[in-house]
mmCIF file of all heavy atoms in Angstrom:
data_model
loop_
_atom_site.group_PDB
_atom_site.id
_atom_site.type_symbol
_atom_site.label_atom_id
_atom_site.label_comp_id
_atom_site.label_asym_id
_atom_site.label_seq_id
_atom_site.Cartn_x
_atom_site.Cartn_y
_atom_site.Cartn_z
ATOM 1 N N PHE A 1 11.111 66.566 54.651
ATOM 2 C CA PHE A 1 10.332 67.012 53.490
ATOM 3 C C PHE A 1 11.258 67.241 52.291
ATOM 4 O O PHE A 1 10.940 66.851 51.159
ATOM 5 C CB PHE A 1 9.572 68.306 53.806
ATOM 6 C CG PHE A 1 8.515 68.143 54.853
ATOM 7 C CD1 PHE A 1 8.430 69.023 55.916
ATOM 8 C CD2 PHE A 1 7.590 67.105 54.793
ATOM 9 C CE1 PHE A 1 7.456 68.886 56.884
ATOM 10 C CE2 PHE A 1 6.617 66.957 55.751
ATOM 11 C CZ PHE A 1 6.546 67.855 56.806
ATOM 12 N N ALA A 2 12.396 67.866 52.564
ATOM 13 C CA ALA A 2 13.366 68.122 51.495
ATOM 14 C C ALA A 2 13.909 66.808 50.940
ATOM 15 O O ALA A 2 14.131 66.671 49.727
ATOM 16 C CB ALA A 2 14.505 68.988 52.021
ATOM 17 N N GLY A 3 14.117 65.830 51.807
ATOM 18 C CA GLY A 3 14.599 64.528 51.363
ATOM 19 C C GLY A 3 13.601 63.823 50.467
ATOM 20 O O GLY A 3 13.974 63.207 49.458
ATOM 21 N N CYS A 4 12.325 63.892 50.816
ATOM 22 C CA CYS A 4 11.274 63.299 49.973
ATOM 23 C C CYS A 4 11.279 63.927 48.586
ATOM 24 O O CYS A 4 11.192 63.232 47.565
ATOM 25 C CB CYS A 4 9.905 63.483 50.624
ATOM 26 S SG CYS A 4 9.627 62.487 52.103
ATOM 27 N N ALA A 5 11.370 65.249 48.553
ATOM 28 C CA ALA A 5 11.372 65.958 47.272
ATOM 29 C C ALA A 5 12.612 65.614 46.455
ATOM 30 O O ALA A 5 12.536 65.432 45.228
ATOM 31 C CB ALA A 5 11.296 67.462 47.518
ATOM 32 N N ALA A 6 13.758 65.506 47.115
ATOM 33 C CA ALA A 6 15.004 65.178 46.407
ATOM 34 C C ALA A 6 14.942 63.783 45.800
ATOM 35 O O ALA A 6 15.377 63.562 44.660
ATOM 36 C CB ALA A 6 16.186 65.286 47.367
ATOM 37 N N LEU A 7 14.394 62.819 46.529
ATOM 38 C CA LEU A 7 14.264 61.459 46.014
ATOM 39 C C LEU A 7 13.278 61.408 44.847
ATOM 40 O O LEU A 7 13.508 60.709 43.855
ATOM 41 C CB LEU A 7 13.821 60.512 47.130
ATOM 42 C CG LEU A 7 14.855 60.221 48.215
ATOM 43 C CD1 LEU A 7 14.236 59.404 49.335
ATOM 44 C CD2 LEU A 7 16.059 59.488 47.633
ATOM 45 N N ALA A 8 12.184 62.147 44.980
ATOM 46 C CA ALA A 8 11.189 62.172 43.905
ATOM 47 C C ALA A 8 11.772 62.740 42.618
ATOM 48 O O ALA A 8 11.555 62.212 41.522
ATOM 49 C CB ALA A 8 9.967 62.980 44.335
ATOM 50 N N GLU A 9 12.557 63.804 42.755
ATOM 51 C CA GLU A 9 13.181 64.408 41.570
ATOM 52 C C GLU A 9 14.262 63.496 41.004
ATOM 53 O O GLU A 9 14.347 63.268 39.790
ATOM 54 C CB GLU A 9 13.782 65.761 41.937
ATOM 55 C CG GLU A 9 14.460 66.459 40.753
ATOM 56 C CD GLU A 9 15.131 67.758 41.168
ATOM 57 O OE1 GLU A 9 15.468 67.919 42.354
ATOM 58 O OE2 GLU A 9 15.341 68.616 40.284
ATOM 59 N N GLY A 10 15.088 62.943 41.877
ATOM 60 C CA GLY A 10 16.194 62.122 41.426
ATOM 61 C C GLY A 10 15.757 60.847 40.721
ATOM 62 O O GLY A 10 16.408 60.408 39.762
ATOM 63 N N PHE A 11 14.658 60.260 41.174
ATOM 64 C CA PHE A 11 14.159 59.027 40.546
ATOM 65 C C PHE A 11 13.089 59.298 39.489
ATOM 66 O O PHE A 11 12.455 58.366 38.997
ATOM 67 C CB PHE A 11 13.606 58.084 41.617
ATOM 68 C CG PHE A 11 14.685 57.319 42.353
ATOM 69 C CD1 PHE A 11 15.271 57.854 43.492
ATOM 70 C CD2 PHE A 11 15.132 56.092 41.886
ATOM 71 C CE1 PHE A 11 16.270 57.165 44.170
ATOM 72 C CE2 PHE A 11 16.121 55.394 42.546
ATOM 73 C CZ PHE A 11 16.701 55.934 43.697
ATOM 74 N N GLN A 12 12.868 60.573 39.179
ATOM 75 C CA GLN A 12 11.975 60.985 38.093
ATOM 76 C C GLN A 12 10.562 60.402 38.273
ATOM 77 O O GLN A 12 9.996 59.783 37.368
ATOM 78 C CB GLN A 12 12.541 60.550 36.734
ATOM 79 C CG GLN A 12 13.918 61.091 36.448
ATOM 80 C CD GLN A 12 14.491 60.587 35.143
ATOM 81 O OE1 GLN A 12 13.763 60.159 34.246
ATOM 82 N NE2 GLN A 12 15.814 60.629 35.001
ATOM 83 N N LEU A 13 10.012 60.612 39.452
ATOM 84 C CA LEU A 13 8.677 60.090 39.724
ATOM 85 C C LEU A 13 7.629 60.898 38.977
ATOM 86 O O LEU A 13 7.705 62.120 38.895
ATOM 87 C CB LEU A 13 8.377 60.143 41.227
ATOM 88 C CG LEU A 13 9.338 59.423 42.168
ATOM 89 C CD1 LEU A 13 8.728 59.351 43.564
ATOM 90 C CD2 LEU A 13 9.669 58.019 41.662
ATOM 91 N N ALA A 14 6.644 60.186 38.443
ATOM 92 C CA ALA A 14 5.508 60.849 37.798
ATOM 93 C C ALA A 14 4.450 61.101 38.860
ATOM 94 O O ALA A 14 4.080 60.205 39.616
ATOM 95 C CB ALA A 14 4.947 59.965 36.681
ATOM 96 N N GLY A 15 3.936 62.332 38.928
ATOM 97 C CA GLY A 15 2.944 62.651 39.950
ATOM 98 C C GLY A 15 3.597 62.860 41.306
ATOM 99 O O GLY A 15 4.824 62.915 41.442
ATOM 100 N N HIS A 16 2.749 62.969 42.334
ATOM 101 C CA HIS A 16 3.251 63.289 43.671
ATOM 102 C C HIS A 16 2.906 62.237 44.711
ATOM 103 O O HIS A 16 3.181 62.423 45.896
ATOM 104 C CB HIS A 16 2.694 64.644 44.112
ATOM 105 C CG HIS A 16 3.047 65.763 43.180
ATOM 106 N ND1 HIS A 16 4.312 66.314 43.136
ATOM 107 C CD2 HIS A 16 2.317 66.396 42.233
ATOM 108 C CE1 HIS A 16 4.341 67.266 42.200
ATOM 109 N NE2 HIS A 16 3.149 67.332 41.635
ATOM 110 N N ARG A 17 2.310 61.120 44.267
ATOM 111 C CA ARG A 17 1.954 60.077 45.222
ATOM 112 C C ARG A 17 3.207 59.485 45.864
ATOM 113 O O ARG A 17 3.212 59.119 47.044
ATOM 114 C CB ARG A 17 1.131 58.984 44.538
ATOM 115 C CG ARG A 17 0.623 57.919 45.504
ATOM 116 C CD ARG A 17 -0.234 56.877 44.805
ATOM 117 N NE ARG A 17 -1.562 57.392 44.516
ATOM 118 C CZ ARG A 17 -2.055 57.523 43.301
ATOM 119 N NH1 ARG A 17 -1.325 57.205 42.243
ATOM 120 N NH2 ARG A 17 -3.273 57.988 43.114
ATOM 121 N N GLY A 18 4.287 59.384 45.105
ATOM 122 C CA GLY A 18 5.501 58.753 45.588
ATOM 123 C C GLY A 18 6.079 59.419 46.823
ATOM 124 O O GLY A 18 6.399 58.749 47.809
ATOM 125 N N GLU A 19 6.237 60.744 46.794
ATOM 126 C CA GLU A 19 6.836 61.412 47.950
ATOM 127 C C GLU A 19 5.919 61.403 49.161
ATOM 128 O O GLU A 19 6.382 61.362 50.309
ATOM 129 C CB GLU A 19 7.266 62.851 47.617
ATOM 130 C CG GLU A 19 6.228 63.712 46.946
ATOM 131 C CD GLU A 19 6.411 63.760 45.435
ATOM 132 O OE1 GLU A 19 6.458 62.673 44.813
ATOM 133 O OE2 GLU A 19 6.498 64.861 44.883
ATOM 134 N N ILE A 20 4.593 61.383 48.920
ATOM 135 C CA ILE A 20 3.656 61.294 50.042
ATOM 136 C C ILE A 20 3.762 59.928 50.708
ATOM 137 O O ILE A 20 3.784 59.812 51.941
ATOM 138 C CB ILE A 20 2.212 61.556 49.560
ATOM 139 C CG1 ILE A 20 2.077 63.018 49.106
ATOM 140 C CG2 ILE A 20 1.208 61.259 50.667
ATOM 141 C CD1 ILE A 20 0.745 63.354 48.482
ATOM 142 N N VAL A 21 3.844 58.873 49.883
ATOM 143 C CA VAL A 21 4.022 57.523 50.432
ATOM 144 C C VAL A 21 5.351 57.425 51.174
ATOM 145 O O VAL A 21 5.433 56.813 52.248
ATOM 146 C CB VAL A 21 3.942 56.466 49.312
ATOM 147 C CG1 VAL A 21 4.368 55.093 49.839
ATOM 148 C CG2 VAL A 21 2.528 56.393 48.755
ATOM 149 N N LEU A 22 6.401 58.009 50.610
ATOM 150 C CA LEU A 22 7.709 58.020 51.272
ATOM 151 C C LEU A 22 7.600 58.575 52.688
ATOM 152 O O LEU A 22 8.110 57.979 53.653
ATOM 153 C CB LEU A 22 8.691 58.865 50.471
ATOM 154 C CG LEU A 22 9.531 58.194 49.392
ATOM 155 C CD1 LEU A 22 10.223 59.250 48.537
ATOM 156 C CD2 LEU A 22 10.572 57.269 50.023
ATOM 157 N N LEU A 23 6.963 59.710 52.807
ATOM 158 C CA LEU A 23 6.859 60.364 54.107
ATOM 159 C C LEU A 23 6.028 59.525 55.079
ATOM 160 O O LEU A 23 6.415 59.333 56.241
ATOM 161 C CB LEU A 23 6.237 61.750 53.940
ATOM 162 C CG LEU A 23 6.091 62.575 55.220
ATOM 163 C CD1 LEU A 23 7.454 62.822 55.850
ATOM 164 C CD2 LEU A 23 5.380 63.890 54.939
ATOM 165 N N ARG A 24 4.884 59.014 54.620
ATOM 166 C CA ARG A 24 4.021 58.223 55.500
ATOM 167 C C ARG A 24 4.722 56.939 55.946
ATOM 168 O O ARG A 24 4.624 56.541 57.115
ATOM 169 C CB ARG A 24 2.713 57.895 54.787
ATOM 170 C CG ARG A 24 1.784 59.095 54.638
ATOM 171 C CD ARG A 24 0.595 58.765 53.751
ATOM 172 N NE ARG A 24 -0.379 59.856 53.746
ATOM 173 C CZ ARG A 24 -1.390 59.940 52.897
ATOM 174 N NH1 ARG A 24 -1.564 59.001 51.967
ATOM 175 N NH2 ARG A 24 -2.231 60.953 52.962
#
């Protein structure tokens, strides 16, 4: 979970769909 959040922040993702897709 922490890794998903770190990638989302580092790549400046808009919204939260990206980290959810990452995890799935």
